[in-house]
């Protein structure tokens, strides 16, 4: 039987925004279930997850997909980080997300996350000139043509890789600032939505490598009159999707309005630079919800208002969120 390559992916201990790490394990034969994959150690002192004199951390495989780059039976494996004694590492936000998702499993919560990001060429967003600025925002969003679009070949390749990996990708679009793009994952239950978003981010960084381009998930990459980068989180429970769902959605919005700090605390670092009340955002200190309102904290999509059931869009999460934390907060606030 031929050996396969399993790319173990994990989230490091950098704060306030963590990075992805990965290394390859050669496994004796094809993997059918997650329990076929062994735990694996790594040097936590190199990832801000342990001290040098007691450096071992553990990778616990939790989710895997086909590796669309290597192909064959090779796989990408999302891992949780554990301490050497097997307890949950403090950087591991997935364990709590899995626990609360399990507790409220009967609610059948779904998440759709819109990941915005910005390509960089050196220290400038792709499409920005060496000095100064490109033409102001207006024609870039969902645009076409070499004067509007930068990095499409990477985006196309990334989209195909996500599909080949079997991720629940639901679309992509060019964003309002040059070099800025979005992909959407979902609707998917937690914690799988988080696993898929992290794997999609890994694939994006991995494929951009080949072009010498970097990917930023900074909430406000270009200061001034340029849109920031968010991770709008679309959310529904079974009762929101069914007859009478609109009232359940409004009740959820009311609860969210009473837990502003709980949410903003996990909605991304430097999100105050993005949630200014301008550029299709609500102020970080304010809370409002409304139908079709892109200046609201929570938008109820037009379709949901028309159907009287559906989902809500929390527009506050920044591009640099840990999706596990956001899903945990949404379930905690609206389901309990
Ligand atoms: P926008 O109009 O805000 O740009 P997008 O089309 O980019 O919206 O993203 C909407 C996201 O919402 C998609 O990821 C989609 O899969 C997700 N979504 C659709 N229906 C639901 C639902 N019932 N619950 C949660 N997410 C949903
Ligand atoms: Mn979108
Ligand atoms: Mn967008
Ligand atoms: Mn949106």
């Amino acid at each position: 039987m031929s050996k396969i390559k399993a790319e173990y992916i994990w989230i490091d201990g950098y704060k306030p925004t963590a990075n992805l790490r990965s290394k390859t394990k050669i496994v004796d034969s094809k993997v059918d279930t997650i329990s076929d994959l062994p735990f694996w150690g790594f040097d936590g002192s190199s990832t801000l997850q342990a001290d040098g004199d007691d450096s071992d951390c553990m990778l616990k495989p939790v989710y895997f997909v086909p590796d669309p780059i290597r192909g064959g039976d090779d796989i990408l494996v999302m891992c949780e980080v554990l301490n050497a004694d097997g307890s949950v590492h403090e950087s591991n936000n997935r364990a709590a997300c899995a626990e609360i998702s399990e507790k409220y499993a009967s609610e059948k919560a779904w998440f759709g996350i819109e990941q915005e990001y910005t390509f960089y060429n050196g220290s400038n967003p792709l499409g920005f000139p060496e000095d100064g600025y490109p033409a102001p925002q207006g024609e870039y969003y969902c645009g076409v043509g070499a004067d509007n679009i930068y990095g499409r070949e990477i985006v196309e390749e990334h989209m195909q890789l996500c599909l080949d990996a079997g991720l629940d990708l639901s679309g992509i679009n060019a964003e309002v600032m040059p070099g800025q793009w979005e992909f959407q994952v979902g609707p998917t239950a937690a914690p799988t939505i988080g696993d898929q978003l992290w794997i999609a981010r890994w694939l994006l960084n991995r494929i951009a490598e080949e072009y010498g381009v970097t990917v930023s998930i900074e909430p406000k990459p270009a200061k001034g009159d340029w849109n920031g980068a968010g991770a709008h989180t679309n959310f529904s429970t079974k009762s929101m999707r069914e007859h009478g769902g609109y009232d359940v959605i409004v009740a959820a919005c009311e609860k969210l309005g009473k837990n502003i700090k709980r949410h903003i605390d996990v909605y991304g670092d430097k999100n105050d630079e993005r949630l200014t009340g301008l550029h299709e955002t609500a102020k970080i200190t304010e809370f409002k919800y409304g139908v079709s309102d892109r200046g609201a904290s929570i938008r109820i999509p037009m379709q949901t208002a028309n159907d009287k059931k559906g989902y809500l869009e929390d527009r506050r999460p920044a591009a640099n969120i840990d999706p596990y934390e956001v899903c945990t907060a949404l379930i905690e606030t609206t389901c309990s």
Side-chain angles (χ1 to χ4, degrees), residues 244-284:
Y246 194 78
D247 293 341
V248 185
I249 290 170
V250 168
C253 291
E254 291 290 336
K255 282 188 186 171
L256 286 162
K258 293 191 179 72
N259 291 278
I260 299 171
K261 184 170 163 26
R262 161 75 182 95
H263 284 259
I264 292 297
D265 280 351
V266 297
Y267 278 10
D269 180 50
K270 296 199 205 142
N271 203 13
D272 54 317
E273 294 178 17
R274 167 180 163 261
L275 297 181
T276 58
L278 300 172
H279 305 109
E280 304 177 61
T281 69
K283 274 194 189 143
I284 197 162

Side-chain angles (χ1 to χ4, degrees), residues 118-132:
T118 309
F119 286 133
Y120 270 74
N121 179 13
S123 54
N124 279 327
L126 202 62
F128 276 51
E130 286 275 319
D131 296 306

Side-chain angles (χ1 to χ4, degrees), residues 197-216:
L197 187 68
W198 279 111
I199 291 173
R201 285 174 173 176
W202 187 88
L203 283 169
L204 182 61
N205 282 279
R206 171 68 185 78
I207 204 64
E209 247 179 46
E210 315 249 326
Y211 293 84
V213 165
T214 55
V215 178
S216 167

Side-chain angles (χ1 to χ4, degrees), residues 114 116 175 182:
E114 305 167 49
E116 294 178 340
E175 270 301 339
E182 166 179 320

Side-chain angles (χ1 to χ4, degrees), residues 138-144 148-149 173-177 182 294:
E139 298 182 12
Y140 305 113
Y141 171 75
C142 296
V144 64
N148 289 324
I149 290 297
N173 60 268
E175 270 301 339
V176 177
M177 188 178 94
E182 166 179 320
R294 286 174 197 273

Side-chain angles (χ1 to χ4, degrees), residues 49-272:
Q49 284 166 308
D51 295 325
D53 55 359
D54 185 14
S55 66
D56 283 352
C57 287
M58 227 165 3
L59 296 175
K60 173 192 175 188
V62 288
Y63 182 76
F64 74 96
V65 295
D67 182 338
I69 296 177
R70 289 177 173 150
D73 289 330
D74 294 344
I75 54 177
L76 303 177
V77 184
M78 195 64 209
C79 299
E80 279 188 25
V81 174
L82 305 182
N83 297 306
D85 66 2
S87 57
V88 172
H89 191 273
E90 62 129 333
S91 65
N92 173 353
N93 296 316
R94 187 186 186 278
C97 182
E99 193 178 324
I100 198 162
S101 301
E102 178 64 32
K103 182 172 174 194
Y104 294 103
S106 62
E107 299 276 351
K108 302 215 177 323
W110 291 353
F111 300 85
I113 302 182
E114 305 167 49
Q115 175 71 64
E116 294 178 340
Y117 60 91
T118 309
F119 286 133
Y120 270 74
N121 179 13
S123 54
N124 279 327
L126 202 62
F128 276 51
E130 286 275 319
D131 296 306
Y133 291 94
Q137 291 184 166
E139 298 182 12
Y140 305 113
Y141 171 75
C142 296
V144 64
D147 48 350
N148 289 324
I149 290 297
Y150 304 89
R152 194 190 296 276
E153 63 281 23
I154 312 175
V155 171
E156 288 286 323
E157 212 171 318
H158 175 249
M159 176 159 48
Q160 190 60 51
L161 291 171
C162 288
L163 295 177
D164 291 347
L167 303 181
D168 300 328
L169 197 77
S170 51
I172 64 104
N173 60 268
E175 270 301 339
V176 177
M177 188 178 94
Q180 199 178 53
W181 294 84
E182 166 179 320
F183 66 83
Q184 305 106 31
V185 185
T188 306
T192 310
I193 182 72
D195 301 336
Q196 292 202 6
L197 187 68
W198 279 111
I199 291 173
R201 285 174 173 176
W202 187 88
L203 283 169
L204 182 61
N205 282 279
R206 171 68 185 78
I207 204 64
E209 247 179 46
E210 315 249 326
Y211 293 84
V213 165
T214 55
V215 178
S216 167
I217 52 172
E218 277 274 305
K220 193 75 182 180
K223 315 297 168 209
D225 208 10
W226 301 96
N227 270 38
H232 297 168
T233 301
N234 300 274
F235 172 71
S236 65
T237 58
K238 185 163 180 279
S239 59
M240 293 179 186
R241 297 188 293 268
E242 289 178 345
H243 182 72
Y246 194 78
D247 293 341
V248 185
I249 290 170
V250 168
C253 291
E254 291 290 336
K255 282 188 186 171
L256 286 162
K258 293 191 179 72
N259 291 278
I260 299 171
K261 184 170 163 26
R262 161 75 182 95
H263 284 259
I264 292 297
D265 280 351
V266 297
Y267 278 10
D269 180 50
K270 296 199 205 142
N271 203 13
D272 54 317

